[in-house]
Amino acid sequence: MSARSHSKRSWGQRLVILIPYLWLAAFFLVPFLIVFKISLSQFATAQPPYLPQFDLDEGLAGLKEFFSELSSANYARLVSDWLYLSSYGRSLAIAFVSTAMLLALGLPIAYAMARAPRRWQGVLFLLIVLPFWTSFLIRVYAWMTILQRDGLLNQALLAIGIVDAPPVWISTDAAIFIGIVYTYLPFMVLPIYATLERMDETLLEAAADLGCPRWKAFWLVTVPLALPGAIAGSILCFIPIVGEFVIPDLLGGSGTMMIGQTLWLEFFNNRDWPAASAVAVVLLALLIVPLILFQHVQARRLEQGG
Amino acid sequence: MRRGLSFVNVTALALGLAFLYLPILILVIYSFNASRLVTIWGGWSTRWYVSLLGNQAILDAAWISLRIAFLAACVATVLGTLAALALVRAGRFRGRLLFSGLVYAPLVMPEVITGLALLLLFVAVDIERGFWTVTIAHTTLTMGFVTVIVQARLLGFDRSLEEAAMDLGAPPLRTFMTVTLPLIAPAIAAGWVLAFMLSLDDFVIANFTTGPGARTLPIHIYSEVRLGVKPEINAICTIIVAVVALGIVAASLLTKLSGAKPESSGAPL
């Protein structure tokens, strides 16, 4: 069958590829080219707010003039202005640390899920998935109530007597980490669980028979076997966390912003579309390696004949 | 070694689930709080739900979000299913690597980038921004999720059924309609539900691509939330949580019926 489809592809088969391809080219690929183009433009008080504008009526001369007016000034600004550099640095640092925290929390949970009796696993799977599909915005909002100065967390801490005075949670980095770990935990747990679920348990038996203690067997046998899932989960979390906007905006403080907030501010508050575009292009460049890895992982698991 | 849970395993599961569910539970309980102060318990009451019914702005926003989510989910399901067929069944074709990159990238792409890119496209081609631009944006965002679910199902079933139909002389389209489609239908339905949920949930991309007159529910909630925590918002959030929970249970039953193992789809779907 595949040989047949190779030699002669019918129109129907071509359409199956062509229709989604054209949609994605028009609404995902072309927009990125436009972002790149506008990142080379300058801010202007106009509608739309950037120059140069491309004018088809002026023909080749207009095209020449258009290209001569493009400049890399926005990128020069990104590199020279400490605000942008620290914003990128902070986003990457937060993404690294929170991905590590997610791994540390996600691995034991995924391991426990995989070790649970078979008939529970479907239910456990559903229980982990359910919060993920419960609106992202709502889950961040839920923490706003809990982390307030007179919120439930401080009420509980004061009641138990761990603290004498209510500590500040909201508008701190701690709140950002709590928000990120909370919202991304299912992304980390599920890929690791998927790998561990297929694990050959006789390996652990062999380790036990040879006198290896359980914690050591976990470290020497289970962890290496969970590695593909852990890598997939880490990529799945890391990429969107770097560009996160809602969590730092609602839970974080007014200090250094994450890069998603910087982009947002440039676009919505300063209306500097070229600067926002340059921020987006550099962010994309920083994420290109994890993005390629992600595509590779997905393609290997879900495709045939590629 | 027996399959079973040690004390450490049970603790990890219990703490993990408590961490995931306590905040949502607190939100739901406090939506029934009679007090206006969100951190002080003033007894049970449904007053915030009653006042929701009189809040025309929220009701309008919810109606717009539902219509966008319905349309976006329908188009995304068709496009996503075609993409899944192309990636699993079409073998090699020119531009395949770019195609699969374009299918998977929206799943993880930071939303600020996707939102900005789509908005700049809509400005460049001078479409009036509003209902339709958000619908197009959400279709693009969600189709990859449908693809991933349908792909897992397509890889899971026995190809020889299709080959038998072809050998008996059924043309490709007929084979697809009578053999393939019924087999992958539950996965397609699950994909639709998930695309619908994602569209209903999205704030960042909607905020970039919307225009006057198309204020979606997340945009409305966000603008309220930025001003502080409000009991009325707790009530609308509780309703959304209930609807989503029902939808997910339905979708997971469909996936189970289809025989596709949800965990093999990679993303937490």
Side-chain angles (χ1 to χ4, degrees), chain B residues 38-54:
Chain B
V38 282
T39 50
I40 294 166
W41 183 252
W44 295 91
S45 159
T46 52
R47 62 184 280 206
W48 306 115
Y49 291 88
V50 176
S51 85
L52 261 190
L53 287 175

Side-chain angles (χ1 to χ4, degrees), chain A residues 37-94:
Chain A
K37 189 213 97 178
I38 290 177
S39 74
L40 299 172
S41 312
Q42 269 94 54
F43 175 67
T45 325
Q47 192 57 253
Y50 52 84
L51 280 171
Q53 299 284 334
F54 181 54
D55 196 349
L56 269 180
D57 300 333
E58 289 175 36
L60 201 63
L63 194 69
K64 251 186 193 161
E65 198 187 313
F66 170 77
F67 275 112
S68 68
E69 282 179 39
L70 292 178
S71 87
S72 57
N74 290 309
Y75 293 98
R77 211 170 103 209
L78 284 195
V79 181
S80 60
D81 193 331
W82 185 243
L83 174 92
Y84 296 107
L85 289 179
S86 59
S87 195
Y88 280 114
R90 181 173 158 79
S91 299
L92 290 174
I94 287 183

Side-chain angles (χ1 to χ4, degrees), chain A residues 38-300:
Chain A
I38 290 177
S39 74
L40 299 172
S41 312
Q42 269 94 54
F43 175 67
T45 325
Q47 192 57 253
Y50 52 84
L51 280 171
Q53 299 284 334
F54 181 54
D55 196 349
L56 269 180
D57 300 333
E58 289 175 36
L60 201 63
L63 194 69
K64 251 186 193 161
E65 198 187 313
F66 170 77
F67 275 112
S68 68
E69 282 179 39
L70 292 178
S71 87
S72 57
N74 290 309
Y75 293 98
R77 211 170 103 209
L78 284 195
V79 181
S80 60
D81 193 331
W82 185 243
L83 174 92
Y84 296 107
L85 289 179
S86 59
S87 195
Y88 280 114
R90 181 173 158 79
S91 299
L92 290 174
I94 287 183
F96 271 117
V97 173
S98 47
T99 304
M101 289 162 80
L102 282 161
L103 265 176
L105 278 173
L107 188 60
I109 297 175
Y111 179 65
M113 274 174 80
R115 303 246 316 142
R118 282 268 171 227
R119 62 179 188 284
W120 292 6
Q121 289 199 6
V123 177
L124 284 173
F125 182 81
L126 195 61
L127 281 174
I128 297 285
V129 173
L130 208 54
F132 163 72
W133 288 106
T134 310
S135 170
F136 176 77
L137 196 54
I138 292 176
R139 283 178 297 149
V140 178
Y141 169 73
W143 279 102
M144 285 177 73
T145 326
I146 297 168
L147 295 176
Q148 278 181 358
R149 200 179 159 280
D150 51 355
L152 285 171
L153 180 62
N154 278 346
Q155 287 180 21
L157 289 177
L158 287 169
I160 305 170
I162 296 178
V163 293
D164 298 325
V168 179
W169 294 102
I170 202 94
S171 306
T172 64
D173 283 2
I176 296 183
F177 283 119
I178 291 175
I180 290 177
V181 169
Y182 181 65
T183 46
Y184 284 91
L185 191 59
F187 281 101
M188 184 61 86
V189 171
L190 296 179
I192 301 180
Y193 165 70
T195 344
L196 285 180
E197 188 223 13
R198 289 189 291 268
M199 184 176 130
D200 185 357
E201 288 190 29
T202 53
L203 291 171
L204 283 177
E205 273 173 43
D209 289 346
L210 294 169
C212 185
R214 270 180 91 152
W215 63 269
K216 208 172 171 189
F218 177 78
W219 185 246
L220 290 176
V221 179
T222 311
V223 170
L225 284 172
L227 209 56
I231 291 171
S234 299
I235 302 171
L236 207 57
C237 295
F238 181 82
I239 301 172
I241 292 174
V242 173
E244 189 55 61
F245 167 76
V246 172
I247 296 172
D249 191 53
L250 289 182
L251 297 177
S254 51
T256 312
M257 288 183 292
M258 284 182 75
I259 199 64
Q261 293 171 282
T262 307
L263 191 157
W264 190 275
L265 196 76
E266 289 290 1
F267 186 85
F268 286 106
N269 299 37
N270 303 344
R271 283 185 61 77
D272 191 341
W273 295 12
S277 301
V279 169
V281 170
V282 173
L283 178 56
L284 196 60
L286 288 175
L287 293 176
I288 202 74
V289 171
L291 275 168
I292 289 172
L293 268 174
F294 176 70
Q295 199 243 348
H296 184 74
V297 169
Q298 289 288 81
R300 208 173 49 180

Side-chain angles (χ1 to χ4, degrees), chain B residues 14-177:
Chain B
L15 287 179
L17 290 176
F19 177 58
L20 285 175
Y21 281 91
L22 266 180
I24 298 174
L25 194 68
I26 290 169
L27 181 91
V28 170
I29 291 172
Y30 271 77
S31 75
F32 294 101
N33 186 2
S35 165
R36 175 164 284 283
L37 296 165
V38 282
T39 50
I40 294 166
W41 183 252
W44 295 91
S45 159
T46 52
R47 62 184 280 206
W48 306 115
Y49 291 88
V50 176
S51 85
L52 261 190
L53 287 175
N55 188 332
Q56 197 57 41
I58 283 191
L59 295 179
D60 287 346
W63 179 232
I64 288 173
S65 276
L66 285 170
R67 282 187 302 161
I68 289 175
F70 180 82
L71 282 171
C74 290
V75 183
T77 302
V78 174
L79 292 171
T81 304
L82 289 177
L85 286 166
L87 285 172
V88 178
R89 292 298 162 80
R92 283 173 219 275
F93 55 86
R94 213 176 299 161
R96 188 191 159 100
L97 192 65
L98 175 67
F99 180 62
S100 83
L102 288 174
V103 170
Y104 300 133
L107 304 184
V108 286
M109 186 64 73
E111 286 179 310
V112 285
I113 299 184
T114 313
L116 175 73
L118 278 162
L119 170 84
L120 293 179
L121 170 80
F122 294 141
V123 171
V125 297
D126 206 14
I127 308 179
E128 194 189 339
R129 276 169 279 149
F131 184 88
W132 290 105
T133 47
V134 179
T135 307
I136 290 173
H138 281 180
T139 304
T140 311
L141 170 74
T142 56
M143 67 175 277
F145 288 86
V146 178
T147 304
V148 167
I149 297 177
V150 176
Q151 264 179 303
R153 180 70 191 123
L154 277 172
L155 284 172
F157 81 76
D158 191 358
R159 280 297 285 279
S160 58
L161 289 170
E162 282 176 341
E163 276 160 23
M166 303 277 271
D167 287 344
L168 293 169
L173 186 65
R174 179 119 185 257
T175 308
F176 177 77
M177 297 306 269

